[in-house]
Amino acid sequence: MEPLGLAVLAAATPPDVEVELIDDRLGPIDYAAPGDAVAINVETYTARRAYAIAASFRRRGVPVVLGGYHPTLAPDEATRHGDAIVVGSADGVWPTVVEDLRRHRLQPRYLGGPGPATGVPPRRAIFPAKGYLPITLIETGRGCRFGCDFCSVSQFFERTAFSRPAADVLAEIESAGRRSVFFVDDNIVAQPQRARELFDALHPAGIRWFSQASINIADDPALLRAAARSGCQGLLIGFESLSASTLASMGKGWALSARDYAEAVQRIRDAGIPIYATFVFGYDTDDPDAFERTVEFAIRQKFLMAAFNHLVPFPGTPLYARLAGERRLRQEAWWLAPGFRFGDVAFHPRTMTADELAERCYRARLAFYSAGSVLSRAWDFRCNVRNLRSAAMYAWLNVFSGREMRQRQGLPIGEGFVDDVQGGPT
Ligand code: B12
Ligand code: SF4
């Protein structure tokens, strides 16, 4: 997908500065290309690779600025790998960083805070014409007011939710010029009244959209109807667990205490909205049977897609602090550990070994994306397969997700790190 954060950064860059986007996922980086500074987006899973790229540019005398989730949540570490870091949202503070670069007085750390979007439309012209999915990423808001203990978003935005005026969102959809939109909001119904206004405003635009929402959307039938009418093709909802005690221990007790999951799913499906459900395993109250029970539930509820993730102690989260305090992290900075692979578990669970947890999650994914499950979930003419278009989308998403899930498992994170640090990439 197109990296929206970098287009936001490009839009905040003074117009007399030339900007070029290089996406490490799309092709090799030309480290010798002329340039006065490099800005790199860093997430926890990409930190190792990002630091290697930063080191290569810095060795050539090009100053590097790091920003995004990881530098915000692990600022002391990130500071060692860049000439400057930006903590938090960069929209407002970026012009100052650029000015300081010009004047050769770059500060080591800039504070953007958990701020809202400035309203300046992202500069999508920086995206190359080929290589990305033909879907436009747009923010209608940022942040979430809940405080789940494992969640980076909750820490990044300090449990605050910001929203943009519906008119701005509509203007951006219009100028981006695509009918398929992914609203990247962490919780599009974080402010239900505002969400209702947005959905009503979206209705005439005739778009098809996908986003993320919290389960309490199910409590508001009018909001559900408005979402469906405005073109909602699916919502990613973090169910996390079927166990009330596990949910309580992650700070998400509210999700199940106020409602029954099956009933809530029913209401969302009655509105014709397919669900991408996500679950997480590895809490101290999770028994080995939890996996099978959850997969059965996910297939029975005919979810469009589902993720069965093991718990990840992302830096800067309460979960990380707790596991570190209990000396249960396998490595403190697991994201930099040589040999760490996608799918590896970074801590010692209580009720099974780390490898067992990884294996059980993988098996849950295999079961959910098995041919039998895909066929049984397709037998759903209200949501997953309600017309030819949704049937094609259902088939594509399930085949693609199943394949991608297999391909990612065991992939080393930060490939190329050792070469880069020792000799420089070729
Ligand atoms: C869309 C999205 C995706 C898309 C991919 C998007 C893409 N373009 O490729 C998909 C669905 C594929 C995806 C996948 C994953 N994602 Co994701 N994703 C998001 C989401 C929801 C929105 C990103 C976005 O566009 N935000 C809007 C833009 C404007 O914000 P931004 O990118 O943060 O940029 C702002 C600041 O961070 C900062 N900034 C960013 N970069 C830079 C660089 C510099 C130099 C500076 C100065 C500032 C700066 O300034 C920007 C403007 O204020 C975020 C949550 C979120 N709210 O951001 C999660 C999120 C980034 N994803 C996350 C994760 C964990 C993943 C996965 C690993 C999940 C998984 N288990 O598979 C994968 C793999 C990602 C990978 N890199 O390998 C985590 C990262 C946590 C962390 N600590 O790193 C997040 C925060 C979600 C969460 N709930 O925790 N993701
Ligand atoms: S509801 Fe979702 S976005 Fe909000 S804090 Fe919990 S996991 Fe994070």
Side-chain angles (χ1 to χ4, degrees):
M1 291 185 198
E2 294 167 346
L4 178 62
L6 295 177
V8 168
L9 218 57
T13 306
D16 60 323
V17 175
E18 263 181 59
V19 175
E20 189 194 346
L21 170 70
I22 303 167
D23 192 330
D24 190 38
R25 300 171 299 179
L26 298 186
I29 298 173
D30 178 3
Y31 290 89
D36 300 310
V38 170
I40 308 179
N41 164 263
V42 190
E43 289 173 12
T44 301
Y45 273 87
T46 58
R48 202 159 179 252
R49 176 73 185 152
Y51 293 162
I53 294 169
S56 299
F57 279 113
R58 293 176 85 193
R59 265 201 312 276
R60 289 166 168 81
V62 181
V64 171
V65 184
L66 304 174
Y69 271 81
H70 194 72
T72 300
L73 299 174
D76 294 339
E77 173 195 293
T79 299
R80 294 196 291 276
H81 297 274
D83 297 281
I85 66 162
V86 174
V87 172
S89 301
D91 322 35
V93 78
W94 184 244
T96 311
V97 180
V98 176
E99 193 50 36
D100 286 357
L101 270 165
R102 281 205 237 233
R103 293 176 186 271
H104 303 285
R105 59 171 195 208
L106 199 60
Q107 307 296 308
R109 199 177 286 196
Y110 294 83
L111 298 181
T118 48
V120 180
R123 221 164 112 189
R124 295 192 167 82
I126 63 165
F127 298 142
K130 285 197 182 132
Y132 295 117
L133 288 176
I135 178 164
T136 296
L137 274 63
I138 293 183
E139 289 181 289
T140 83
R142 286 181 180 171
C144 174
R145 64 193 161 89
F146 295 118
C148 306
D149 76 342
F150 57 83
C151 182
S152 303
V153 167
S154 167
Q155 297 306 310
F156 190 101
F157 293 104
E158 299 171 6
R159 295 188 68 167
T160 314
F162 301 97
S163 56
R164 296 175 60 197
D168 282 12
V169 177
L170 279 174
E172 198 177 319
I173 292 172
E174 210 48 55
S175 81
R178 284 203 195 110
R179 289 282 157 245
S180 297
V181 174
F182 175 14
F183 293 128
V184 297
D185 303 39
D186 303 299
N187 183 0
I188 198 155
V189 294
Q191 291 158 313
Q193 180 54 36
R194 176 322 285 206
R196 179 67 203 270
E197 284 160 24
L198 175 73
F199 299 158
D200 288 345
L202 285 176
H203 175 44
I207 57 163
R208 292 178 295 274
W209 61 269
F210 192 92
S211 191
Q212 313 186 100
S214 49
I215 185 73
N216 52 340
I217 189 176
D219 308 341
D220 189 336
L223 188 58
L224 276 173
R225 275 196 303 275
R229 204 179 47 220
S230 69
C232 178
Q233 304 295 300
L235 288 173
L236 183 151
I237 299 179
F239 289 80
E240 323 304 2
S241 175
L242 303 182
S243 148
S245 54
T246 301
L247 282 165
S249 66
M250 67 178 78
K252 204 165 184 170
W254 54 265
L256 198 50
S257 61
R259 62 189 67 73
D260 175 77
Y261 267 173
E263 263 176 41
V265 169
Q266 191 63 37
R267 273 184 244 136
I268 299 170
R269 288 167 47 75
D270 283 348
I273 298 177
I275 298 174
Y276 176 175
T278 62
F279 299 94
V280 64
F281 300 92
Y283 276 91
D284 295 355
T285 41
D286 278 339
D287 57 68
D289 297 341
F291 299 84
E292 224 169 280
R293 262 201 320 271
T294 310
V295 174
E296 267 172 31
F297 174 81
I299 297 175
R300 198 167 8 128
Q301 298 304 330
K302 297 192 184 289
F303 289 137
L304 170 67
M305 290 192 285
F308 302 90
N309 297 319
H310 57 75
L311 195 54
V312 179
F314 283 107
T317 59
L319 173 75
Y320 184 93
R322 178 167 67 79
L323 292 174
E326 294 170 358
R327 298 190 178 282
R328 288 170 63 192
L329 293 174
R330 296 175 86 182
Q331 277 123 346
E332 271 191 21
W334 51 266
W335 52 91
L336 299 181
F340 191 89
R341 289 168 181 271
F342 200 88
D344 285 355
V345 172
F347 71 103
H348 296 290
R350 279 241 199 276
T351 52
M352 61 198 92
T353 65
D355 289 347
E356 249 180 284
L357 173 57
E359 178 62 28
R360 283 174 192 273
C361 286
Y362 186 56
R363 284 215 301 264
R365 289 175 210 134
L366 287 177
F368 184 81
Y369 286 107
S370 67
S373 158
V374 173
L375 283 176
S376 112
R377 288 179 289 113
W379 198 257
D380 168 19
F381 306 109
R382 222 171 355 150
C383 279
N384 291 346
V385 176
R386 54 190 187 286
N387 53 36
L388 219 54
R389 172 189 286 279
S390 68
M393 184 58 83
Y394 173 84
W396 183 78
L397 283 172
N398 275 278
V399 171
F400 175 83
S401 306
R403 202 182 51 202
E404 202 222 3
M405 176 265 294
R406 284 185 195 86
Q407 283 171 350
R408 280 205 305 186
Q409 186 73 3
L411 217 62
I413 67 170
E415 232 173 335
F417 183 69
V418 176
D419 288 354
D420 290 358
V421 166
Q422 287 170 354
T426 50

